[in-house]
Amino acid sequence: MIQYIVRRILQTIPVLIGVSILVFSMMHLVPGDPAQIMAGESAPQEQVDNLRERLGLNDPLPVQYFTYVSNVVQGDLGNSIRSGRDVGDEIGSRFWVTVELAFYSTILAVFIGIIAGVISATKRNSFADTGIMIVALFGLSMPNFWLGLMLIQWFAIGMDLPSWIPFLENTSWFKPSGWGSFSQIVLPVITLGTGSAAIIARMTRSSMLDVIGQDYIRTARAKGVKERIVIYRHALKNALIPVVTVVGLQFGGLLGGAVLTETVFAINGMGRLVIDSISARDFPVVQGTILVTALLFVFVNLLVDIAYKFLNKRIDLD
Amino acid sequence: MGKPNSYENILEIKNLQTSFFTKDLELKAVDGVSFTIPKQKTLGVVGESGSGKSITSLSILRLIEEPGKIVGGEILFKGENLLKKKESEMRNIRGNEISMIFQEPMTSLNPTLTIGEQIGESFRIHQGLSKKEALKKSVEMLELVGIPSPKKRVKQYPYELSGGMRQRVMIAIALACNPNLLIADEPTTALDVTIQAQILDLIKNLQEQLGMGVLLITHDLGVVAESCDVVAVMYCGQVVEYADVKTLFKEPKHPYTIGLMKSIPPHDQDIEGDLEVIKGAVPSPAEMPTGCRFAPRCPFATELCKTKMPELQTDENGNQIRCWMHTDEWDGVKDREVTVHG
Amino acid sequence: MMEPLHSMDNNQTSPSNSARSKRWNDIFYKLRTNKSAVIGGGLILFFIFVTIFGPLFTPYSPNTQDMVNKLQPPSSEHWLGTDNFGRDIFSRLIHGTGLTLIVGFSSVALGATVGVFLGIISGYYGKRTDSIIMRTMDVLLAFPGILLALAIVSVLGGSLVNVIIAVAISSIPIFARIVRSSTLSVKKLEYIDAMRALGASDRRIIFKHIFPNVTSPLIVQATLSIATAILSASGLSFLGLGAQPPTPEWGAMLSDGRNFLYNAPHVALFPGIAIVIVVLAFNILGDGLRDVFDPKTKD
């Protein structure tokens, strides 16, 4: 087991190197002179030359790359062109906003996805099963930015309710923007989590159906175990093993998807920082944010793989 | 268990019918099967795969799943019809009074639960024991089925055990609550030959110790000869011959039984020689012959056999046979020599 | 056909041509009777039809502005209302259908071609080639979701073509992985060894024997990838990094609608519904294809 963990950690090293090369090259792949872009298009030649010298852009590429990596390892992601601030500081608290958003959305997706998937599988071909699977298909096919806008329209701007409903006049229950309070968190989390909930529901259903057909489920029934316990004690545990891997991938996907959700709900996270920086051509910030997100994703996947291996140990039939 | 002793047979099945339903077809997997298991005796059910043996055994525990359904007959366990029981009453019987072990020990144990949890579950459900007591009992059960260092084993997961060991665990689970009837569905088929004998001996010994009836399902007549008192030969969902084991082996009557016997290798010979095997294959349930179901493969079949289904005849000793050759209407060659191990 | 290997093609270990065509007949029959495949495929055909003939029949031109009638709710004159420039949303949606399909098809075609090539090379040659290619794919996969496409577009600059390129690149790894694993399983079969022993060239083995065996997982994945590609591309346009105004691209139209949620919610509503239906069609078709090609994963 420890051997596996060590091997798995070693495997991430080439990936990390690849990621850093890719992020590093972004700057140089942009058509035009990086120094000119950073200094601004109307900047005088002298200023551009100074910047080029200061950033080491005259050095050969391998040297530049090496400098970049050693800076990153020391926590120095460069300075923002727009604000002149340290990129690490620019990201700062926004990192946690995005992680929180992705984390809550994953929790929601796992919770709803697993419950829906189990209901679907155990009531196979019933009205509930068909209904859940159709909803899941829609969840999978919906652009989350559109869902976000619709949720804002329905539950933040709100609609007037008929007068016979007591106490509630309209449905403007939540806030359309920002991050922090409960009423600000609900809509973005639903927006971001829906797609993953759909994927997890479909996955749980098929995994559960697969497990329910296994011999050991028949053994449990032949033992006189109640159907509810057959499902939750004997089947679910086995069915969730493949779902675990998806959860890790989903969390990563949500980190990426947060870009759109943060834009829709005007949340000050890393996603919005990326978009704003792209339009301002503030490349150090774009690079830094993308690098941090990718590193986080690699790290989460590492954890999930180890967890999966641990769970799966009992399943190896050899 | 202090229940009234007013029954003679532990299990009596009368005209059991179990079918599987597709969109427009009813496939009769078990079609009017009857047999009886006297107290503490062993009934062998023999037949090729597809003969309905396993469906019969799952029907007894009412574990048939959609799209299958028990459509008729009676299953009298200790004189009470199981088909009239509520699901909750059935649950109290399963694993408690009637237990079952399955063919595939490799896949019949839950990979995510420890051996102890899986054996102990029976004690917890049926005897209301605590986790700790159940674990203690599980250790005893493992000892009973001959697993060394049981205290260590209860904490292990199935992947840590060999196939033979796992089948012993299955037996331990089945026998945990001291059942009156054990259904063993091909318990040794998936195991090595040497392990097979051990497992069969184990079942036999425990049967004597615990005094239970056994329903042994197998396609192996050798196993039947060694372990059974009475034998039902099944073909295509029907019993074609039913006799005590001595009579069956001395004078097999049904051509199918004879065919099966000819296909067992004699003990003192290598298996390399020509074994006589029954020609053809079991017809698919969707294309069942209208007459005798064995007629298409039967070397003696006549026009009568192909058009009309023979009834099950019972002789003075209670042995049964479903074959036109053994009726007065027989229109074929009467005095054909029928030999076994010819 | 004059090569000595001809006889190998028709022996039992290698699927013969007639067996293959029977298999395809079989698959077409199953597709016709598979509800998901029929519904999804029918919807897609409908959208293709709309792409070709729709623009001929739209009531308004997609870019004609009419500031007097801006942000009108749906009416008999403007079926789906008008946007902030008074443009007819229905006409714009019809004109945008083709863009959506083209972005979906072309980015997946591009990504799949590269991915299949890399996957086959990787699986067939193994060893160092394999590890270099697959590690590179791992690097691409390390950028979650839309982020890789975003990074690429940020470098290339925002335009519909660049969106196609970006989405294509981010779809390469999944094709490479799928094709690689199918290639590995085909490569293990004995007849491939036999062919090589008989002197068949790598190219011949790859095209005649390995490629046909990777087609079914490929078709399923391509269909599902088109759905994802359409979502990603519309997302990039929504962020202002894709189609530039006044292109009637659905994601960009949605983005216009953002600012008018209070008084004209229909501007954001209808493009979104259009995206959902197209993506749904590809997802349903993908599900159906998977049932047909790979029955063991079906429930």
Side-chain angles (χ1 to χ4, degrees):
Chain A
M1 194 64 204
I2 288 171
Q3 216 183 345
Y4 173 81
I5 295 174
V6 171
R7 206 178 62 215
R8 187 63 187 71
I9 290 173
L10 289 179
Q11 271 176 3
T12 60
I13 291 175
V15 173
L16 294 181
I17 295 174
V19 167
S20 62
I21 292 179
L22 223 63
V23 172
F24 165 76
S25 358
M26 277 177 66
M27 190 71 229
H28 296 272
L29 289 172
V30 179
D33 174 11
Q36 181 78 58
I37 293 167
M38 287 205 196
E41 272 164 39
S42 55
Q45 188 57 39
E46 192 188 354
Q47 197 186 331
V48 174
D49 291 341
N50 280 341
L51 190 68
R52 186 178 294 127
E53 189 56 37
R54 193 157 54 85
L55 294 176
L57 291 171
N58 290 324
D59 297 338
L61 278 182
V63 175
Q64 287 190 41
Y65 171 69
F66 188 75
T67 319
Y68 174 72
V69 171
S70 64
N71 285 342
V72 167
V73 169
Q74 290 165 25
D76 176 11
L77 294 170
N79 290 312
S80 161
I81 294 170
R82 242 189 330 175
S83 66
R85 289 175 63 199
D86 181 66
V87 173
D89 291 343
E90 284 277 344
I91 295 174
S93 59
R94 293 160 183 256
F95 174 81
W96 292 109
V97 170
T98 302
V99 169
E100 250 181 83
L101 172 61
F103 181 73
Y104 292 149
S105 305
T106 311
I107 300 282
L108 179 83
V110 166
F111 191 71
I112 294 192
I114 289 178
I115 292 178
V118 169
I119 293 175
S120 233
T122 50
K123 305 242 173 347
R124 191 178 173 184
N125 294 337
S126 69
F127 186 72
D129 178 22
T130 317
I132 287 173
M133 282 304 116
I134 288 176
V135 171
L137 209 52
F138 271 94
L140 206 66
S141 308
M142 225 185 291
N144 65 12
F145 47 93
W146 179 69
L147 176 63
L149 292 179
M150 293 300 111
L151 289 176
I152 289 177
Q153 202 222 315
W154 296 328
F155 301 113
I157 295 171
M159 289 172 284
D160 291 340
L161 288 170
S163 55
W164 50 263
I165 297 177
F167 306 118
L168 299 170
E169 284 168 10
N170 60 41
T171 59
S172 57
W173 300 325
F174 304 105
K175 298 213 171 108
S177 65
W179 185 254
S181 68
F182 179 76
S183 62
Q184 289 175 317
I185 286 176
V186 174
L187 297 184
V189 166
I190 294 175
T191 301
L192 190 52
T194 299
S196 295
I199 291 172
I200 292 174
R202 281 158 60 101
M203 179 109 194
T204 306
R205 177 179 186 267
S206 75
S207 170
M208 195 74 185
L209 285 176
D210 186 42
V211 168
I212 287 175
Q214 297 289 321
D215 289 348
Y216 55 82
I217 295 301
R218 192 181 54 188
T219 307
R221 291 198 175 119
K223 226 190 271 182
V225 178
K226 280 188 189 134
E227 195 56 28
R228 200 168 47 88
I229 297 177
V230 169
I231 299 299
Y232 289 100
R233 180 177 153 94
H234 290 266
L236 190 58
K237 230 174 167 182
N238 288 289
L240 288 186
I241 290 171
V243 177
V244 170
T245 39
V246 190
V247 172
L249 282 176
Q250 288 308 310
F251 177 75
L254 296 189
L255 286 175
V259 173
L260 289 156
T261 309
E262 287 174 9
T263 305
V264 170
F265 288 94
I267 295 169
N268 257 321
M270 283 196 291
R272 207 157 151 241
L273 182 62
V274 167
I275 299 302
D276 290 349
S277 307
I278 288 176
S279 36
R281 301 180 71 74
D282 189 350
F283 275 96
V285 179
V286 176
Q287 280 176 305
T289 318
I290 288 179
L291 184 71
V292 166
T293 313
L295 294 186
L296 181 63
F297 184 41
V298 170
F299 178 68
V300 169
N301 271 340
L302 179 72
L303 290 186
V304 169
D305 272 10
I306 291 170
Y308 181 74
K309 183 76 179 176
F310 188 73
L311 287 174
N312 208 34
K313 204 179 78 172
R314 301 167 186 174
I315 290 239
D316 286 336
L317 291 170
D318 56 348
Chain B
M1 294 203 159
K3 286 160 195 160
N5 231 6
S6 59
Y7 52 90
E8 282 174 26
N9 299 316
I10 195 73
L11 185 75
E12 224 177 312
I13 292 185
K14 293 179 179 167
N15 194 29
L16 178 68
Q17 291 167 311
T18 302
S19 295
F20 286 79
F21 294 88
T22 65
K23 235 177 248 167
D24 33 32
L25 275 181
E26 176 186 354
L27 307 176
K28 296 180 175 178
V30 177
D31 190 8
V33 164
S34 305
F35 56 67
T36 302
I37 305 178
K39 277 184 201 168
Q40 304 187 14
K41 295 283 184 201
T42 301
L43 171 82
V45 175
V46 194
E48 289 164 284
S49 48
S51 61
K53 317 168 281 192
S54 292
I55 303 296
T56 307
S57 62
L58 287 172
S59 299
I60 297 170
L61 278 177
R62 286 194 16 210
L63 287 175
I64 298 292
E65 281 170 57
E66 288 287 315
K69 211 180 154 200
I70 300 173
V71 288
E74 284 178 18
I75 299 173
L76 301 175
F77 174 68
K78 298 199 218 171
E80 288 178 43
N81 188 355
L82 295 183
L83 298 182
K84 293 250 154 65
K85 299 260 181 203
K86 279 186 271 180
E87 178 57 27
S88 59
E89 293 174 307
M90 270 319 288
R91 273 207 303 273
N92 286 331
I93 291 172
R94 288 180 202 137
N96 188 20
E97 297 185 64
I98 306 179
S99 285
M100 189 157 179
I101 48 184
F102 299 98
Q103 181 171 354
E104 279 296 336
M106 302 309 279
T107 53
S108 294
L109 289 171
N110 191 326
T112 54
L113 296 175
T114 61
I115 302 299
E117 284 172 320
Q118 298 191 53
I119 303 175
E121 194 169 31
S122 299
F123 294 117
R124 302 193 62 192
I125 298 170
H126 299 299
Q127 299 176 1
L129 298 189
S130 71
K131 232 178 183 165
K132 215 169 145 197
E133 291 167 315
L135 194 68
K136 212 175 115 208
K137 287 272 220 169
S138 307
V139 174
E140 287 170 25
M141 286 313 298
L142 285 183
E143 225 159 302
L144 182 73
V145 297
I147 290 187
S149 49
K151 279 192 181 142
K152 195 183 102 201
R153 292 292 185 191
V154 283
K155 295 192 187 104
Q156 293 187 324
Y157 289 93
Y159 78 94
E160 297 171 87
L161 273 62
S162 69
M165 285 291 177
R166 289 189 207 185
Q167 195 60 298
R168 284 173 193 264
V169 171
M170 284 300 296
I171 295 174
I173 292 174
L175 300 185
C177 295
N178 213 341
N180 300 105
L181 175 65
L182 174 69
I183 302 172
D185 186 355
E186 307 251 12
T188 58
T189 310
L191 303 173
D192 288 346
V193 186
T194 48
I195 315 272
Q196 282 186 11
Q198 288 174 15
I199 296 287
L200 286 173
D201 281 347
L202 177 68
I203 293 177
K204 220 156 136 191
N205 289 338
L206 293 172
Q207 178 181 20
E208 280 160 23
Q209 272 182 48
L210 307 173
M212 56 188 178
V214 173
L215 173 61
L216 181 67
I217 293 170
T218 179
H219 63 274
D220 185 346
L221 277 173
V223 169
V224 170
E226 280 168 39
S227 347
C228 298
D229 301 300
V230 190
V231 186
V233 180
M234 280 187 73
Y235 188 78
C236 289
Q238 293 176 326
V239 172
V240 293
E241 185 161 7
Y242 183 70
D244 63 88
V245 70
K246 270 188 204 145
T247 315
L248 189 86
F249 278 88
K250 213 160 69 193
E251 293 173 55
K253 292 204 175 82
H254 199 283
Y256 179 62
T257 316
I258 296 163
L260 282 179
M261 287 190 179
K262 283 187 177 174
S263 61
I264 335 176
H267 286 293
D268 48 359
Q269 277 176 24
D270 281 346
I271 310 183
E272 278 174 35
D274 288 338
L275 289 179
E276 216 169 308
V277 186
I278 307 165
K279 289 190 181 66
V282 180
S284 88
E287 301 160 354
M288 235 4 124
T290 45
C292 171
R293 289 178 182 174
F294 187 58
R297 299 170 75 189
C298 180
F300 313 112
T302 64
E303 214 36 53
L304 175 66
C305 299
K306 283 172 188 160
T307 49
K308 220 173 137 196
M309 166 91 75
E311 293 296 316
L312 201 59
Q313 315 273 322
T314 310
D315 74 5
E316 62 277 14
N317 299 320
N319 294 336
Q320 297 178 318
I321 172 81
R322 187 194 289 274
C323 179
W324 286 119
M325 273 169 79
H326 301 276
T327 62
D328 298 335
E329 285 117 289
W330 178 243
D331 57 352
V333 189
K334 193 101 201 186
D335 51 357
R336 188 135 193 178
E337 274 283 307
V338 173
T339 52
V340 184
H341 291 189
Chain C
M1 297 298 268
M2 282 291 113
E3 289 166 72
L5 285 169
H6 178 63
S7 61
M8 282 297 299
D9 290 345
N10 291 323
N11 75 12
Q12 288 163 338
T13 47
S14 163
S16 68
N17 285 337
S18 71
R20 202 170 281 152
S21 75
K22 186 170 171 292
R23 182 168 160 259
W24 284 107
N25 280 340
D26 201 36
I27 281 170
F28 285 128
Y29 174 77
K30 281 188 194 149
L31 279 178
R32 279 205 309 275
T33 51
N34 181 298
K35 229 191 282 168
S36 304
V38 171
I39 295 175
L43 272 173
I44 291 165
L45 285 180
F46 169 75
F47 280 112
I48 292 175
F49 184 82
V50 168
T51 300
I52 298 172
F53 298 105
L56 304 175
F57 300 103
T58 51
Y60 299 88
S61 125
N63 296 327
T64 304
Q65 300 189 359
D66 178 5
M67 294 310 277
V68 179
N69 286 316
K70 68 176 186 180
L71 300 176
Q72 291 295 309
S75 65
S76 59
E77 251 163 78
H78 296 281
W79 294 351
L80 302 181
T82 59
D83 68 4
N84 47 322
F85 292 106
R87 296 173 295 197
D88 182 58
I89 293 178
F90 178 71
S91 305
R92 285 176 68 74
L93 282 180
I94 301 282
H95 282 266
T97 311
L99 282 181
T100 305
L101 294 183
I102 288 168
V103 169
F105 279 116
S106 53
S107 60
V108 169
L110 204 63
T113 309
V114 179
V116 169
F117 176 76
L118 293 177
I120 288 188
I121 300 289
S122 196
Y124 186 76
Y125 291 103
K127 299 203 186 99
R128 173 151 279 190
T129 318
D130 181 35
S131 30
I132 291 175
I133 292 177
M134 291 329 282
R135 287 300 83 76
T136 311
M137 295 300 112
D138 287 348
V139 171
L140 294 184
L141 285 170
F143 297 90
I146 201 176
L147 209 65
L148 180 62
L150 197 71
I152 296 168
V153 170
S154 76
V155 168
L156 299 178
S159 80
L160 211 50
V161 174
N162 290 345
V163 163
I164 292 175
I165 295 171
V167 173
I169 293 176
S170 44
S171 74
I172 291 173
I174 189 147
F175 286 104
R177 283 193 163 185
I178 288 177
V179 170
R180 175 179 174 268
S181 76
S182 310
T183 305
L184 283 178
S185 58
V186 179
K187 205 179 112 190
K188 266 191 230 136
L189 301 178
E190 275 175 18
Y191 78 90
I192 299 288
D193 275 344
M195 306 232 14
R196 206 176 297 158
L198 286 171
S201 68
D202 284 351
R203 221 178 67 186
R204 184 183 167 83
I205 294 177
I206 287 173
F207 280 103
K208 280 220 80 152
H209 299 277
I210 293 190
F211 188 71
N213 281 293
V214 304
T215 46
S216 37
L218 193 63
I219 290 171
V220 174
Q221 185 55 49
T223 312
L224 296 173
S225 285
I226 290 176
T228 319
I230 291 174
L231 283 180
S232 305
S234 65
L236 290 172
S237 291
F238 177 78
L239 293 171
L241 297 171
Q244 300 301 317
T247 320
E249 200 276 345
W250 295 352
M253 289 172 68
L254 236 168
S255 179
D256 293 341
R258 267 179 80 186
N259 305 318
F260 308 101
L261 282 181
Y262 274 93
N263 39 11
H266 65 272
V267 182
L269 177 68
F270 294 117
I273 291 178
I275 297 173
V276 172
I277 297 174
V278 171
V279 174
L280 197 64
F282 283 100
N283 276 330
I284 295 175
L285 178 65
D287 280 358
L289 289 170
R290 184 165 46 205
D291 291 348
V292 170
F293 282 117
D294 190 8
K296 66 178 179 297
T297 58
K298 187 195 177 187
D299 301 347

